[in-house]
């Protein structure tokens, strides 16, 4: 199975190094010297990592055969792809690869269906689940422990505990009808937890 593990950014210096937007929770495994990676577009690769180092909080890579700034600039925005055994699991039980999370059903603690994970977006601060609702609309769920309370791969579901307002539709659809003179204050229940995915 092929997984995107990084996106090449701008050139750094004049010796062929590039900045890299890491999309894996295991950069030391996927992006270490000697690693051979496929690319998107495929015509740009495969690329073999010659060196890697961290500079000012950013990972810098240099690839075999690329030893000047011009060659590094030519690689900008190329995606790096690793071949991963689909049965392989991250060492940390609270971490997950993207392919494990795709298409999971998203539910509240009481079993209320929210939707299905159709995309995972990796931001510098956190990951986001893009969840398609039954009506076709989409909602973004931050993949953080306070919100995503459980990932159950056997049951193929993610249990969430969204804060008020995260899923606006719940406030409208879950309130019981009441006579005009009464006020309904039932609030939707939710539960959730988070983890990390491989990019």
């Amino acid at each position: 199975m092929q997984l995107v593990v990084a996106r090449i950014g701008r050139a750094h210096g004049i010796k062929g190094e590039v900045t890299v937007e890491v999309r894996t929770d295991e950069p030391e495994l996927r992006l270490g010297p000697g690693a051979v990676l496929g690319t998107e577009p495929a015509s740009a690769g495969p690329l073999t990592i010659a060196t890697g180092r961290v500079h000012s909080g950013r990972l810098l890579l240099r690839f075999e055969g690329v030893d000047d700034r011009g060659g590094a600039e030519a690689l900008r925005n190329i995606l790096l792809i690793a071949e991963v055994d689909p049965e392989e699991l991250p060492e940390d039980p609270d971490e997950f690869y993207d392919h494990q999370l795709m298409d999971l059903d998203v539910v509240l603690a009481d079993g209320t269906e929210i939707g299905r994970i159709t995309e995972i977006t990796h931001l510098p601060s956190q990951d986001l689940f893009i969840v398609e609702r039954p009506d076709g609309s989409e909602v973004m769920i931050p993949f953080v422990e306070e919100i995503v309370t459980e990932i159950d791969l056997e049951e193929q579901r993610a249990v969430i505990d969204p804060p008020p307002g995260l899923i606006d539709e719940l406030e409208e659809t879950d309130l019981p009808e009441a006579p005009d003179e009464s006020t309904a204050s039932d609030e939707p229940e939710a539960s959730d937890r988070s983890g990390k995915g491989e990019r």
Side-chain angles (χ1 to χ4, degrees):
M1 173 176 289
Q2 293 185 328
L3 297 177
V4 174
V5 294
R7 182 181 67 83
I8 298 175
R10 64 183 61 185
H12 178 85
I14 61 174
K15 297 183 178 180
E17 286 186 314
V18 294
T19 61
V20 173
E21 175 190 313
V22 177
R23 298 188 180 182
T24 172
D25 292 317
E26 300 176 308
E28 67 287 342
L29 175 64
R30 308 294 179 197
L31 300 171
V36 180
L37 301 168
T39 59
E40 176 61 44
S43 58
L47 294 173
T48 301
I49 297 175
T51 63
R53 65 188 179 99
V54 176
H55 175 73
S56 299
R58 297 294 301 272
L59 177 62
L60 302 179
L61 297 180
R62 187 175 62 79
F63 300 98
E64 291 184 5
V66 180
D67 52 14
D68 59 28
R69 188 176 183 87
E73 284 287 1
L75 299 176
R76 191 166 184 172
N77 292 325
I78 287 174
L79 299 178
L80 299 176
I81 300 170
E83 191 69 38
V84 177
D85 184 340
E87 300 301 319
E88 180 181 339
L89 300 177
E91 293 182 4
D92 188 333
D94 289 327
E95 294 183 355
F96 305 89
Y97 294 144
D98 283 7
H99 72 269
Q100 295 176 285
L101 302 172
M102 290 294 292
D103 293 324
L104 292 187
D105 292 325
V106 178
V107 300
L108 302 181
D110 63 3
T112 300
E113 179 184 2
I114 300 301
R116 178 178 60 88
I117 298 173
T118 58
E119 184 180 342
I120 300 167
T121 300
H122 302 285
L123 303 178
S125 58
Q126 66 187 9
D127 296 338
L128 291 175
F129 290 160
I130 308 301
V131 177
E132 182 178 313
R133 304 295 305 275
D135 64 3
S137 64
E138 291 185 339
V139 62
M140 293 186 292
I141 307 291
F143 192 20
V144 295
E145 189 170 355
E146 294 78 9
I147 297 176
V148 182
T149 58
E150 181 183 0
I151 296 291
D152 189 333
L153 296 180
E154 289 189 6
E155 295 294 329
Q156 286 290 288
R157 67 176 190 169
V159 181
I160 67 169
D161 184 9
L166 181 63
I167 304 176
D168 296 330
E169 295 87 341
L170 292 180
E171 299 177 1
E172 300 173 3
T173 59
D174 285 6
L175 293 178
E177 294 184 5
D180 293 340
E181 65 271 17
S182 68
T183 58
S185 60
D186 291 14
E187 295 184 359
E189 295 183 4
S191 82
D192 167 38
R193 147 185 190 276
S194 88
K196 294 181 271 187
E198 167 147 335
R199 304 77 162 154

